Amino acid sequence: MSGPKNVAQHVLARLAQWGVHRFYGYPGDGVGGIFTALPEQEDAQFFQVRHEETAAFAACADVKYGGSPIGCCAVTSGPGAVHALNGLYDAKLDHQPVVALVGHTAQTAQGGGYYQELDLSGLFSDVAGYLAEVKDPSQVRHVVDRACRTALADRTVAVVILPSDVLEKDAVPEPPDAHGYYHTSAVPSSTITTPPADALDAAAAVLDAGEKVAILAGAGALGASGELTEVANALGAGMATALLGKGVVDERSPWVTGAIGLLGTTASWHLMRECDTLLIVGSTMPYTEYYPAPGQARAVQIDVDGTRCGIRYDTEVNLTGDAAATLSALLGRLRPREDHGWRAQVERWTSAWVEYSVQRAHAHTSALNPELVVRELSDRLPDDALLAVDCGTATSWYARDVTLHGRQYGSLSGTLLSMGGGMPYAIAAKNAHPDRPVVALVGDGAMQMNGVNELITVQRYWAQWSDPRFVVLVLSNDDLSYVSWETRGMLGEAPDPQSQAIPDVPYAQWAMLLGLDGVELRERAHIGAVWDRALAADRPFVVDAKVDKDIPLVPPHVTIQQALNTARSQLAGDPDALSIIANGVKQTVGAKARSVLGLAPKE
């Protein structure tokens, strides 16, 4: 294409210079100029999803899965802009660079109460780290440049508002050399690398002084697997991972205790509560009760953003820098360890948790045990699989029952914890890597929220993927079960079926109606065969697993208040009380006893 003719073409051309070539969205007249210009833009891919929320979620996830340096969604004014907010907040809270192109009422009609006219600057003022409206063609260059630069440098959301009439005006690729105009650069800024030597020395002194070192790794440690492993080995440390840091190192390593927090493991609980030194790498996991007790441990934190250091635990040394570079610089300053007793203890905690988890997954339940369904998947995941996880009980089983290693990677709406993120994330993962298998773990509540509609998107594009494997596990129990358990454990009340029960939907049949494939899974003996079939399918495949809703979500450390509240909810007339009690005994007392006695899981 020659030089851009109008503002819409100029916006896309300038974004291309920043590496933005993939766009998610849904058309509308407010942003129609962008969609008219997209087919003319070389190397531009547009994916039409079913809802603007999906577009924003997918733009965020596209970056997480390594598909694009900056995610981008294009949505229309009014309702389209409002729809996109949830996915943009996901990007903001998980610190992902996303640029949103938002159409707007024509300037000539603004202020007149026009159809779909909203105060877009007010609407996006909280979510956007950079927000600008293009009112003149000469603004395009500096507005797009600053939006992309801010999104990358601050790992945040930038919103560019584009009035529909301005999009059609003649482009001004080179603003005048005159007062009031800018000539900006499309070259990204350099990134932070390593902290100064004196700060590294101070951190090494704290870590060397510790005898029982724990590491907490989060999303900021992704890409630093080798360096993190070397530092952990040098310190003889155990390591727990925040939800977005899952898989940062090989989870089969015996010193990796697994997830931390409400969905975490007892091994991680012991690691934190018995360590004397803590190294936090790229995490601001917010559940402070799962950190070491106040004053228990000396602490060092590494984060690329210095404002996120020392906000969860009283850290002694804060290192602002890239995780891989900082860990590498720190490694040469650490003394060799001779006493490996602490790591041996950590490995015993981890082994006990793994054995307990196996027993818990094999506990017989009235319907399918969801932990067994997910654990059987984990054992079969291809080495290069990408996982997309929705929020709910699916998150729990992902955190506890999936073991990631090698090139495997999983992600989700980690801080916003929004339902409805799983399918958009899976679509983005597949667009980022069409040659790799993708598996989505979704609850039936989230599937009904947007998943059934986004299967239409999958149907539209799947034939373009070089590897057609796209598997959706629907954990179907006709209940918003995570919220039901929160109601029992936190409020001590019986869940109200009017709010918690959801309709039974034939998800696999819907997939087949769309020309995809699927199966309803009800029998325990069929779990392995169904996964083998799904992971070998020649087209996207839906596994509609009818699972037990009364499997207790047992925290790694149960407080007396949580136990009392749950017991009180049973006395409050919970219709599932008997099933919950039976499953609770099997999953806690029974599974724990069998793991302690070294008995094989019940089949």
Side-chain angles (χ1 to χ4, degrees):
M1 185 178 91
S2 58
K5 297 177 181 178
N6 60 23
V7 166
Q9 291 180 1
H10 190 194
V11 168
L12 297 179
R14 200 66 183 177
L15 284 170
Q17 290 185 255
W18 286 90
V20 179
H21 302 287
R22 189 175 297 125
F23 301 82
Y24 297 91
Y26 202 84
D29 61 350
V31 73
I34 292 293
F35 289 101
T36 301
L38 268 170
E40 301 175 16
Q41 176 67 35
E42 294 179 7
D43 195 28
Q45 295 178 299
F46 171 64
F47 291 91
Q48 183 204 83
V49 293
R50 313 273 61 79
H51 194 282
E52 291 90 352
E53 180 184 61
T54 296
F57 267 131
C60 171
D62 201 295
V63 181
K64 288 187 176 183
Y65 289 102
S68 303
I70 302 172
C72 191
C73 62
V75 301
T76 193
S77 58
V82 174
H83 285 168
L85 269 177
N86 198 47
L88 294 180
Y89 270 107
D90 180 46
K92 175 185 178 177
L93 297 185
D94 280 355
H95 308 288
Q96 299 303 310
V98 169
V99 171
L101 305 179
V102 183
H104 195 14
T105 303
Q107 284 190 307
T108 54
Q110 286 181 23
Y114 199 72
Y115 287 115
Q116 300 184 332
E117 182 185 0
L118 298 179
D119 177 8
L120 296 183
S121 293
L123 182 70
F124 291 108
S125 61
D126 180 60
V127 75
Y130 175 74
L131 172 63
E133 180 175 344
V134 175
K135 299 180 179 181
D136 186 272
S138 63
Q139 292 178 270
V140 168
R141 177 169 162 171
H142 75 255
V143 165
V144 172
D145 285 351
R146 191 169 178 193
C148 292
R149 189 178 307 283
T150 303
L152 282 173
D154 294 344
R155 308 289 298 179
T156 192
V157 172
V159 174
V160 178
I161 299 171
L162 300 164
S164 58
D165 54 342
V166 175
L167 285 171
E168 301 303 319
K169 292 185 178 181
D170 291 342
V172 182
E174 293 293 335
D177 182 12
H179 179 74
Y181 294 93
Y182 300 103
H183 295 80
T184 52
S185 165
V187 178
S189 304
S190 64
T191 56
I192 295 172
T193 53
T194 55
D198 58 344
L200 290 165
D201 291 340
V206 171
L207 296 172
D208 278 342
E211 296 181 0
K212 298 184 290 184
V213 182
I215 297 174
L216 169 58
L222 294 171
S225 298
E227 295 84 355
L228 194 57
T229 299
E230 287 186 275
V231 167
N233 287 334
L235 294 170
M239 191 181 83
T241 55
L243 194 56
L244 286 173
K246 183 174 172 63
V248 65
V249 298
D250 190 332
E251 293 192 304
R252 298 169 300 184
S253 303
W255 47 272
V256 177
T257 60
I260 192 173
L262 203 59
L263 309 181
T265 71
T266 54
S268 293
W269 168 263
H270 287 301
L271 175 72
M272 291 295 155
R273 285 288 154 160
E274 298 193 29
C275 70
D276 62 17
T277 308
L278 175 64
L279 172 60
I280 306 170
V281 184
S283 175
T284 54
M285 193 277 295
Y287 294 130
T288 54
E289 66 271 29
Y290 290 96
Y291 285 83
Q296 169 191 319
R298 300 178 71 186
V300 173
Q301 186 163 357
I302 300 170
D303 204 292
V304 73
D305 183 352
T307 66
R308 296 205 290 269
C309 290
I311 63 173
R312 301 291 188 242
Y313 196 76
D314 186 5
T315 48
E316 190 170 330
V317 181
N318 294 312
L319 301 176
T320 303
D322 172 75
T326 303
L327 288 167
S328 181
L330 196 57
L331 183 63
R333 291 169 161 83
L334 300 175
R335 62 171 175 80
R337 298 269 165 161
E338 296 180 0
D339 183 359
H340 300 287
W342 166 246
R343 175 166 275 195
Q345 175 61 68
V346 171
E347 292 180 358
R348 286 193 291 271
W349 287 329
T350 302
S351 177
W353 168 262
V354 170
E355 179 59 33
Y356 171 43
S357 297
V358 171
Q359 295 287 354
R360 200 176 58 242
H362 283 82
H364 284 260
T365 51
S366 54
L368 284 176
N369 187 329
E371 290 203 74
L372 184 60
V373 175
V374 174
R375 188 164 281 271
E376 290 286 316
L377 164 66
S378 179
D379 292 342
R380 291 171 167 79
L381 278 176
D383 289 341
D384 59 346
L386 298 169
L387 278 77
V389 187
D390 219 296
C391 294
T393 54
T395 320
S396 302
W397 314 139
Y398 165 70
R400 294 182 170 188
D401 294 299
V402 172
T403 301
L404 297 178
H405 55 87
R407 295 179 63 206
Q408 295 171 353
Y409 175 65
S411 194
L412 73 162
S413 173
T415 308
L416 187 61
L417 288 172
S418 174
M419 285 178 64
M423 282 293 285
Y425 269 55
I427 291 167
K430 198 66 180 183
N431 288 335
H433 302 282
D435 58 338
R436 294 173 65 175
V438 170
V439 180
L441 309 182
V442 184
D444 49 1
M447 196 64 184
Q448 291 181 22
M449 184 176 283
N450 65 354
V452 290
N453 288 334
E454 293 307 334
L455 275 179
I456 300 172
T457 307
V458 173
Q459 188 277 335
R460 177 171 182 168
Y461 292 110
W462 77 267
Q464 301 176 16
W465 301 331
S466 54
D467 184 333
R469 290 176 293 175
F470 184 100
V471 182
V472 181
L473 167 64
V474 184
L475 294 166
S476 179
N477 56 21
D478 305 335
D479 185 73
L480 297 174
S481 50
Y482 196 95
V483 179
S484 293
W485 280 105
E486 288 180 323
T487 302
R488 295 180 181 109
M490 298 174 71
L491 302 178
E493 299 291 339
D496 180 6
Q498 292 296 317
S499 64
Q500 296 307 112
I502 59 175
D504 183 15
V505 174
Y507 305 102
Q509 292 181 41
W510 168 236
M512 290 187 282
L513 185 64
L514 291 172
L516 310 178
D517 203 354
V519 68
E520 185 178 278
L521 175 61
R522 289 184 178 272
E523 299 298 325
R524 177 188 179 97
H526 298 164
I527 294 174
V530 164
W531 278 128
D532 291 338
R533 177 182 165 189
L535 291 168
D538 64 353
R539 63 193 59 213
F541 194 101
V542 173
V543 177
D544 181 4
K546 303 302 183 182
V547 298
D548 199 319
K549 69 177 183 297
D550 296 327
I551 303 302
L553 299 178
V554 182
H557 175 72
V558 181
T559 67
I560 293 176
Q561 189 60 54
Q562 288 168 332
L564 289 174
N565 284 345
T566 303
R568 190 175 68 185
S569 75
Q570 308 312 294
L571 298 175
D574 192 331
D576 298 311
L578 292 178
S579 178
I580 288 169
I581 293 169
N583 286 337
V585 170
K586 294 174 186 175
Q587 284 251 316
T588 54
V589 179
K592 181 66 75 174
R594 294 185 69 83
S595 66
V596 170
L597 294 172
L599 300 176
K602 285 186 175 182
E603 296 298 338

